Amino acid sequence: MIFQWNYTTPEPADVGTATRLAAELAIHPVLGKLLVDRGITDSVAARKFFRPKLTDLHPPMLMNEMSKAVARLSEAIDKRERILVYGDYDVDGVTAVALVYKFIRRRYDNIDYYIPDRYEEGYGIGEKGIDFAAETGVRLIIVLDCGIKATHEVAYAKEHGIDVIICDHHVPDAALPDAAAILNPKRSDNTYPYEHLCGCGVGFKFMQAFAQVRGIAFNELASLLDLCAVSIATDIVPVTDENRILAHAGLHRLNASPSVGLQAIIEVCGLQDKELTMSDIIFKIGPRINASGRVQNGRESVRLLVEEDYEAARRQAESINLFNEQRKELDKQMTEEAVTAVRQQEDGEAHSGIAIVGSQWHKGVIGIVASRLVEQFHKPTIVLTENDGYATGSARSIGGFDVYSAVQSCEDLLENFGGHTYAAGLTLRSEHVPEFRRRFLEYIDTHISEEQVQATLEVSGLLELSDVTFKFYQQLSRFAPYGPGNEKPIFCTHKVYDYGTSRVVGRGQEHIKLELVGEGSSKVVNGIAFGQSSQARYIKTKRAFDICYSIEENTYKRGEVQLQIEDIRPQE
């Protein structure tokens, strides 16, 4: 992929602010610029940004219908009614269910949880789950990470004498279900200060309000924040404002004292001796939790996350790890088939998006495959799989393009759909697939901008290699946790040279292990450039080149840094 490097030269006034901030905070001037880029212009705000505190969370009662939700839950507990915690089968859903179930279960035992089967029941609340609730005497269902469009299902529950509290973060329709309470910061009448909570975050706010009303110490709820960190990372929500506070505290909990279930997953991943980051969650922990819902049933992941016995948790984690191995094999096979399908389509038609359809492709993996295609082709993508007269689709997007709106533009063809800006899911009848595909691609072609089509690297600052020290890395790490809205900074250095020891590595000789020096400097800095071995020949000519990179701690040499090189550009 060919990247455009974007670097905006700061205005003189911003340079002055950044210089002043850097001096007041005793940090590198480039880091002062990073603060200004985030809208932070004084040292008080900077210190607050660097030290996220749980005391700065918004009051939960500010959310619409929160008092109704707390009152109905309190009534259920006081009357000894049976409660069912019901959630989606992805990471956000199962962590939300685990958090709410664990918190209530500590004080109330007439409670169970339910995760629908991806293949037999599909996404969201279904009649089968409500029938299970009715058969087991449930009088209150708490729905997490889904339900905002479940008008029929909520009515069906009421027919069985069951109330429903919905905790969701997906975009609602104009008409809301007739639930006992609906907690969703994306409601059109939203009163909550922050709208980008994940499903687990909405569940956390519900429990925070419940704890306040019932006089339960906040620290008891804060012990479950490791689940929030996992959810925020994997659901790719903005890591700003309240999400940043929750993720920061959750990562601290995950590293210092994780729950038994998460500790077992950490060990299965081989991460027990590492300081865990959001990237570790996204690429290691999250996929294993997701694998249960993709290959078997998400209930297995909830069972692991609420487990209190370590030996049992370790056995369950190893079982889920096997699901993940199966998922990876499916992922690899389907991605290869999908890439072939895309190339065949591109030979005959040119579009700014991708829409491909497979027969009998595994429903649990199409979202991952869509993400792989976005990475490779840099286009908004939907992958559909057909089975028994219906097609199920999973869409993913590129930076700045709202793929949910592209799906919504075809809603008259759909049985159901849901999602948010960068990810969406849908179901439709097979006979509507050709028309859906045409209109979906037409919407992208007419709404995407030239800037969005171009793959870009947003450069945060210009550095010399001599600036890249462990002290600089320590100062930089205070900007974490990273994610949308607080992206990991990418830096650029011009005119670097091979020290003479760089080499191609990897099973397929596809990566470059670099040892670099800057112009006029003898300091050697290590780097790794994944998938860029085509540049090795130029690098070995000893001519200068430019690099864009992020900065990591060297996991093999503590106290040293390593560059993760995103792109290499020969000097012209």
Side-chain angles (χ1 to χ4, degrees):
M1 187 180 298
I2 299 174
F3 289 102
Q4 177 177 304
W5 298 6
N6 287 346
Y7 177 71
T8 302
T9 303
E11 297 294 328
D14 289 339
V15 172
T17 303
T19 302
R20 173 178 52 78
L21 273 175
E24 291 173 355
L25 299 167
I27 59 176
H28 192 283
V30 167
L31 303 183
K33 176 188 177 297
L34 264 58
L35 288 170
V36 173
D37 289 344
R38 286 156 175 74
I40 298 167
T41 57
D42 64 77
S43 57
V44 173
R47 290 188 176 95
K48 187 174 181 178
F49 176 79
F50 285 149
R51 303 187 188 105
K53 295 179 180 178
L54 290 169
T55 51
D56 289 330
L57 292 174
H58 302 302
M61 284 297 183
L62 293 177
M63 192 176 293
N64 304 58
E65 302 194 5
M66 183 63 83
S67 58
K68 289 171 62 176
V70 171
R72 183 62 188 91
L73 175 57
S74 295
E75 179 188 5
I77 290 173
D78 293 341
K79 290 183 176 180
R80 293 290 304 168
E81 293 178 343
R82 186 154 182 79
I83 300 169
L84 185 68
V85 184
Y86 192 120
D88 188 23
Y89 38 65
D90 68 3
V91 177
D92 191 16
V94 300
T95 53
V97 167
L99 186 149
V100 171
Y101 175 83
K102 287 179 77 170
F103 189 67
I104 298 175
R105 183 68 177 76
R106 289 171 178 174
R107 284 176 165 77
Y108 186 72
D109 60 2
N110 195 14
I111 185 170
D112 197 1
Y113 57 85
Y114 189 93
I115 303 292
D117 186 280
R118 181 189 292 264
Y119 307 102
E120 293 183 6
E121 300 171 75
Y123 169 79
I125 314 174
E127 291 189 5
K128 182 177 178 180
I130 295 167
D131 289 341
F132 169 82
E135 291 163 6
T136 54
V138 168
R139 287 293 169 263
L140 175 64
I141 300 176
I142 300 172
V143 180
L144 295 145
D145 192 36
C146 57
I148 197 61
K149 296 188 176 186
T151 302
H152 166 76
E153 291 78 8
V154 170
Y156 184 73
K158 291 188 77 170
E159 290 172 8
H160 289 77
I162 301 171
D163 283 338
V164 178
I165 296 173
I166 296 172
C167 305
D168 204 354
H169 70 124
H170 295 100
V171 179
D173 290 334
L176 299 175
D178 185 20
I182 297 176
L183 308 178
N184 187 331
K186 288 192 176 71
R187 290 174 55 151
S188 60
D189 59 349
N190 176 49
T191 56
Y192 196 67
Y194 187 66
E195 67 172 319
H196 299 299
L197 293 169
C198 60
C200 188
V202 177
F204 177 87
K205 299 306 295 188
F206 182 19
M207 292 300 97
Q208 184 186 4
F210 176 73
Q212 287 179 358
V213 170
R214 304 288 283 199
I216 301 170
F218 178 75
N219 284 343
E220 188 173 328
L221 178 60
S223 68
L224 301 173
L225 278 172
D226 51 359
L227 293 165
C228 266
V230 170
S231 177
I232 290 166
T234 53
D235 215 50
I236 319 297
V237 291
V239 185
T240 56
D241 196 276
E242 195 159 47
N243 279 345
R244 188 164 187 273
I245 297 171
L246 294 171
H248 183 271
L251 275 171
H252 177 76
R253 172 70 57 174
L254 196 63
N255 280 290
S257 181
S259 67
V260 170
L262 285 173
Q263 178 64 43
I265 297 175
I266 290 166
E267 292 177 5
V268 165
C269 294
L271 296 172
Q272 60 268 36
D273 297 322
K274 184 180 184 299
E275 182 75 15
L276 299 174
T277 66
M278 298 289 268
S279 292
D280 294 315
I281 296 172
I282 293 169
F283 295 110
K284 298 285 187 177
I285 297 171
R288 284 165 172 80
I289 297 174
N290 242 339
S292 174
R294 295 187 188 281
V295 177
Q296 194 179 57
N297 187 290
R299 187 177 177 88
E300 296 301 310
S301 288
V302 178
R303 189 160 70 94
L304 169 59
L305 294 176
V306 302
E307 182 60 68
E308 299 294 340
D309 178 75
Y310 172 77
E311 293 302 327
R314 182 63 192 238
R315 289 192 297 272
Q316 291 165 31
E318 301 218 349
S319 175
I320 282 176
N321 197 46
L322 291 177
F323 295 150
N324 191 53
E325 293 302 314
Q326 295 175 44
R327 188 273 306 164
K328 286 196 286 188
E329 286 300 315
L330 288 167
D331 172 5
K332 181 181 177 183
Q333 176 187 338
M334 282 178 53
T335 298
E336 289 173 355
E337 293 175 11
V339 168
T340 299
V342 172
R343 296 201 187 284
Q344 289 173 346
Q345 287 182 4
E346 287 188 334
D347 287 342
E349 56 185 25
H351 289 289
S352 298
I354 293 170
I356 58 170
V357 188
S359 177
Q360 305 291 325
W361 276 352
H362 200 285
K363 285 184 185 179
V365 187
I366 56 174
I368 297 173
V369 174
S371 295
R372 298 271 190 267
L373 297 180
V374 170
E375 290 171 8
Q376 183 161 342
F377 295 98
H378 191 71
K379 294 181 177 183
T381 297
I382 190 163
V383 177
L384 300 109
T385 178
E386 291 186 289
N387 191 26
D388 293 333
Y390 287 89
T392 301
S394 191
R396 298 293 183 268
S397 196
I398 58 175
F401 185 80
D402 185 353
V403 77
Y404 177 83
S405 293
V407 170
Q408 189 177 40
S409 71
C410 308
E411 65 179 315
D412 58 301
L413 301 173
L414 308 178
E415 297 295 304
N416 56 65
F417 70 99
H420 46 80
T421 302
Y422 294 117
L426 58 86
T427 303
L428 74 164
R429 294 182 182 275
S430 291
E431 61 261 32
H432 295 319
V433 167
E435 179 63 8
F436 169 81
R437 182 178 179 279
R438 184 190 69 78
R439 284 167 52 182
F440 176 80
L441 292 173
E442 183 181 76
Y443 181 96
I444 295 172
D445 288 340
T446 56
H447 287 78
I448 201 164
S449 68
E450 290 184 15
E451 293 78 12
Q452 290 166 344
V453 169
Q454 174 64 56
T456 60
L457 289 174
E458 298 296 333
V459 177
S460 300
L462 306 178
L463 291 175
E464 299 296 330
L465 284 189
S466 57
D467 293 319
V468 184
T469 63
F470 190 69
K471 180 180 178 181
F472 180 87
Y473 167 78
Q474 289 177 308
Q475 293 176 351
L476 176 65
S477 64
R478 297 165 73 186
F479 285 80
Y482 301 119
N486 185 44
E487 283 81 5
K488 189 173 208 174
I490 292 176
F491 300 101
C492 176
T493 299
H494 295 292
K495 289 190 176 180
V496 302
Y497 299 84
D498 174 28
Y499 182 63
T501 49
S502 298
R503 64 192 186 280
V504 174
V505 297
R507 187 173 298 174
Q509 299 286 284
E510 65 271 39
H511 315 307
I512 313 175
K513 183 73 175 69
L514 294 146
E515 292 186 329
L516 305 173
V517 292
E519 190 170 49
S521 171
S522 59
K523 179 185 176 182
V524 180
V525 178
N526 293 316
I528 182 74
F530 292 110
Q532 298 181 62
S533 59
S534 60
Q535 299 281 9
R537 182 174 295 178
Y538 179 90
I539 289 168
K540 298 303 286 185
T541 65
K542 297 283 189 157
R543 287 182 285 176
F545 53 96
D546 303 334
I547 54 174
C548 278
Y549 55 90
S550 59
I551 303 173
E552 313 277 353
E553 183 174 8
N554 191 323
T555 54
Y556 300 104
K557 295 180 181 179
R558 292 293 175 90
E560 294 187 15
V561 297
Q562 175 175 277
L563 310 184
Q564 182 163 316
I565 297 171
E566 304 293 335
D567 201 20
I568 297 170
R569 181 175 294 172
Q571 277 271 314
E572 296 177 355

